[in-house]
């Protein structure tokens, strides 16, 4: 495999931060070579091969005539797409996963194209087991077994999926809705991220998600934003709540470690080359300012 050197004209600031937090982006264009990418992808495919072999050992011990099997994952893994590794992102490489199912009453070689999500697995497993949910509250996921039982196959899930991310390596909330061939990625705009713009991709013509078409499709962006909020709620209020919870947890962690927390923070958060640079007085001041600031949400557009 050969890779061409590409000059990146624009990268979303959320991408730039994530790359920096993974030691993949410092001064704007830290060089990386074909060998770096090939080494990463060799490791990825080695893990795929190992997983396949281990899954094969399990399947060999099963009676597939009486056993239901689901093979899936909780997230994908970046291979330097968008200069990203691991998960932590709403791009397909990071969050699209396999879903293979077999068992009693499951048609062989059936390929279902409907959008599904891992939240659909819980009601599906309950149905297979002949159990009802413990709670009377409606589940977010949907039972997938009608795909295997109905003829002709009819949709039992909506034609869209949603997701969100609020953890490490990201500096603000990430939200996603995929409907048919379109995917919208939006962001928490709690200050200082109020200028973060949403991204829109046509996965049919741009499966690598390199051509953001949001600027030319404002109506589509607005439609997908409404769908996202109808599914998850007010995403900006969610982002604000998560960040307030982050502060509360950070204060608890500070109180637990007393005067040693700047050193521990630097050691746990630092991924760059060279010696660890422990928290300076200026760093501590910035953190204290962050903890004491008041968050004011920007107005929500109609």
């Amino acid at each position: 495999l050969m890779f061409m050197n590409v000059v990146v004209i624009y990268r979303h600031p959320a991408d730039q931060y994530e790359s920096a937090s993974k030691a993949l982006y410092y001064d704007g264009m830290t060089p990386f070579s074909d060998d770096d990418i090939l080494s990463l992808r060799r490791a990825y495919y080695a893990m795929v091969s190992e997983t396949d072999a281990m899954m094969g050992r399990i399947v060999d011990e099963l009676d597939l005539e009486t056993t239901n099997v689901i093979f899936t994952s909780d997230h994908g893994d970046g291979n330097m797409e968008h200069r990203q590794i691991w998960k932590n992102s709403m791009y397909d490489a990071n969050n699209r996963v396999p879903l293979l199912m077999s068992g009693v009453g499951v048609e062989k070689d059936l390929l279902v194209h409907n959008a599904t999500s891992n939240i659909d697995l819980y009601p599906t497993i309950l149905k297979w087991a002949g159990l009802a949910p413990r709670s009377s509250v409606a589940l977010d996921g949907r039972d997938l077994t009608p795909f295997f039982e109905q003829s002709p196959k009819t949709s039992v899930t909506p034609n869209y999926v949603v997701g969100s991310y609020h953890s490490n390596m990201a500096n603000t909330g990430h939200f996603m809705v995929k409907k048919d061939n379109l995917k919208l990625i939006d962001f928490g705009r709690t200050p200082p991220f109020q200028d973060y713009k949403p991204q829109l991709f046509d996965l049919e013509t741009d499966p690598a998600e390199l051509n953001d078409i949001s600027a030319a499709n404002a109506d589509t962006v607005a439609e997908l934003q409404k769908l996202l909020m109808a599914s998850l709620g007010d995403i900006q209020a969610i982002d604000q709540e998560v960040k307030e919870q982050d502060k509360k947890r950070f204060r608890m962690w500070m109180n637990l470690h007393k005067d040693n927390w700047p050193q521990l923070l630097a050691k746990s958060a630092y991924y760059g080359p060279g010696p660890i640079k422990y928290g300076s007085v200026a760093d501590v001041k910035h953190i204290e300012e962050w903890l004491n600031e008041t968050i004011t949400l920007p107005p929500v557009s109609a």
Side-chain angles (χ1 to χ4, degrees):
L1 294 174
M2 295 298 292
F3 298 90
M4 296 177 62
N5 292 324
V6 177
V7 176
V8 178
I9 303 301
Y10 172 79
R11 296 180 70 237
H12 196 285
D15 291 343
Q16 295 182 23
Y17 180 88
E18 287 199 17
S19 295
S21 68
K22 299 172 184 178
L24 300 170
Y25 183 100
Y26 299 107
D27 54 6
M29 279 303 296
T30 299
F32 59 93
S33 67
D34 292 356
D35 287 341
D36 293 331
I37 300 175
L38 286 170
S39 177
L40 181 68
R41 296 190 177 183
R42 287 190 190 101
Y44 177 84
Y45 287 117
M47 290 189 291
V48 171
S49 297
E50 181 182 35
T51 302
D52 182 66
M54 296 173 69
M55 186 66 188
R57 293 175 60 186
I58 295 173
V59 170
D60 287 343
E61 299 299 322
L62 298 177
D63 179 358
L64 296 181
E65 298 298 322
T66 60
T67 306
N68 293 344
V69 178
I70 298 175
F71 179 86
T72 188
S73 177
D74 57 337
H75 58 80
D77 207 43
N79 277 290
M80 289 300 284
E81 302 91 343
H82 297 269
R83 196 175 282 210
Q84 295 292 333
I85 56 175
W86 308 334
K87 47 182 181 178
N88 324 101
S89 170
M90 288 290 114
Y91 294 119
D92 266 15
N94 307 79
N95 71 357
R96 190 175 181 182
V97 298
L99 178 55
L100 306 176
M101 307 176 74
S102 69
V104 179
V106 178
E107 181 180 335
K108 292 183 178 180
D109 300 322
L110 173 66
L111 179 61
V112 177
H113 293 281
N114 290 68
T116 58
S117 174
N118 278 352
I119 61 173
D120 297 323
L121 296 181
Y122 178 59
T124 302
I125 293 170
L126 288 179
K127 179 64 178 296
W128 266 350
L131 300 174
R134 292 182 178 181
S135 173
S136 59
V137 178
L139 299 176
D140 290 329
R142 300 179 185 233
D143 171 24
L144 299 178
T145 59
F147 279 126
F148 319 138
E149 300 168 352
Q150 296 177 356
S151 182
K153 306 299 184 236
T154 58
S155 176
V156 295
T157 61
N159 64 338
Y160 66 91
V161 291
V162 298
S164 64
Y165 184 78
H166 307 275
S167 191
N168 61 325
M169 308 300 173
N171 57 358
T172 192
H174 290 45
F175 302 88
M176 179 277 294
V177 56
K178 177 186 177 295
K179 181 181 180 183
D180 299 325
N181 61 305
L182 295 175
K183 180 198 277 190
L184 176 78
I185 301 176
D186 209 346
F187 302 92
R189 280 184 276 279
T190 303
F193 310 106
Q194 63 268 19
D195 294 328
Y196 275 25
K197 304 297 184 183
Q199 297 173 293
L200 180 66
F201 300 102
D202 184 337
L203 300 180
E204 183 174 346
T205 60
D206 179 30
E209 299 168 286
L210 297 175
N211 181 27
D212 177 9
I213 59 174
S214 60
N217 296 274
D219 290 344
T220 301
V221 170
E223 176 187 342
L224 291 175
Q225 284 176 324
K226 288 181 179 179
L227 181 59
L228 183 62
M229 293 183 69
S231 301
L232 296 179
D234 185 340
I235 62 174
Q236 299 308 326
I238 293 171
D239 182 63
Q240 180 183 18
E241 181 180 355
V242 169
K243 286 171 179 166
E244 290 293 352
Q245 291 295 327
D246 287 343
K247 290 184 179 183
K248 290 180 181 178
R249 291 184 175 89
F250 192 84
R251 288 191 182 98
M252 292 172 61
W253 181 82
M254 287 175 59
N255 292 334
L256 180 65
H257 294 286
K258 304 300 181 183
D259 295 336
N260 196 39
W261 70 263
Q263 290 80 6
L264 292 173
L265 178 65
K267 186 175 181 180
S268 64
Y270 187 69
Y271 285 89
I276 296 173
K277 301 174 183 178
Y278 293 116
S280 65
V281 174
D283 292 334
V284 172
K285 182 180 179 181
H286 286 314
I287 291 173
E288 291 175 343
E289 290 174 351
W290 165 68
L291 289 172
N292 294 321
E293 71 183 1
T294 301
I295 295 177
T296 302
L297 281 175
V300 177
S301 59

